[in-house]
Amino acid sequence: MHRDPDCIFCKIIAGEIPSKQVYQDELVTAFYDINPVAPVHVLIVPNKHIPSVNHVQPEDETMLGHMFSVARQVAEQLGVAERGYRLILNTGEHAGQVVFHVHMHLLGGRPLGRMVCR
Ligand code: 5GP
Ligand code: ZN
């Protein structure tokens, strides 16, 4: 599995940095965000190091599809599936991406307001 030795999420996936893990399989890992902005705030990440959606390749499609399947399972497991949740993938500077390892935010547990600020 391709990893970046300096990447914080690669270290979390490998268990070298502790996290509150919710799910892991051979393709993806899900863990609680360290600085939650909603009652439920989980990050779903590919185990393979991909810096951003700008770096996604056709061979990543199975794994990317699987991230949605895991999002559904995690939402159900954490009790937000019925009332709803938001999935966010920040890409690059204008989206405020801070960690350059693809991650899907799963946010829920309260009304989340409009999609973006005007
Ligand atoms: P971005 O802004 O890149 O979309 O989101 C990065 C997210 O990673 C932020 O919500 C931040 O709180 C979270 N984060 C950064 N470092 C760590 C860490 O070491 N552990 C965990 N669990 N989350 C982190
Ligand atoms: Zn990484």
Side-chain angles (χ1 to χ4, degrees), residues 64-106:
L64 292 165
H66 188 57
M67 283 172 70
F68 281 87
S69 177
V70 170
R72 182 186 67 75
Q73 288 176 59
V74 168
E76 236 167 66
Q77 186 184 325
L78 300 182
V80 297
E82 196 174 323
R83 297 206 73 186
Y85 52 95
R86 184 168 294 154
L87 302 174
I88 297 175
L89 282 126
N90 292 318
T91 303
E93 181 192 347
H94 278 190
Q97 186 180 1
V98 172
V99 177
F100 281 81
H101 179 128
V102 164
H103 51 280
M104 177 188 271
H105 296 258
L106 189 159

Side-chain angles (χ1 to χ4, degrees), residues 15-61:
E16 293 161 14
I17 289 178
S19 74
K20 227 175 128 191
Q21 194 172 290
V22 201
Y23 180 90
Q24 186 166 51
D25 64 24
E26 69 284 2
L27 291 177
V28 311
T29 301
F31 52 91
Y32 283 97
D33 195 292
I34 203 166
N35 186 21
V37 298
V40 171
H41 188 170
V42 167
L43 301 173
I44 300 163
V45 308
N47 294 343
K48 174 186 173 187
H49 181 80
I50 304 170
S52 82
V53 173
N54 283 342
H55 301 80
V56 162
Q57 299 297 321
E59 63 262 28
D60 300 323
E61 286 173 8

Side-chain angles (χ1 to χ4, degrees), residues 4-21:
D4 175 340
D6 298 323
C7 171
I8 193 161
F9 285 178
C10 282
K11 290 177 185 167
I12 285 175
I13 292 158
E16 293 161 14
I17 289 178
S19 74
K20 227 175 128 191
Q21 194 172 290

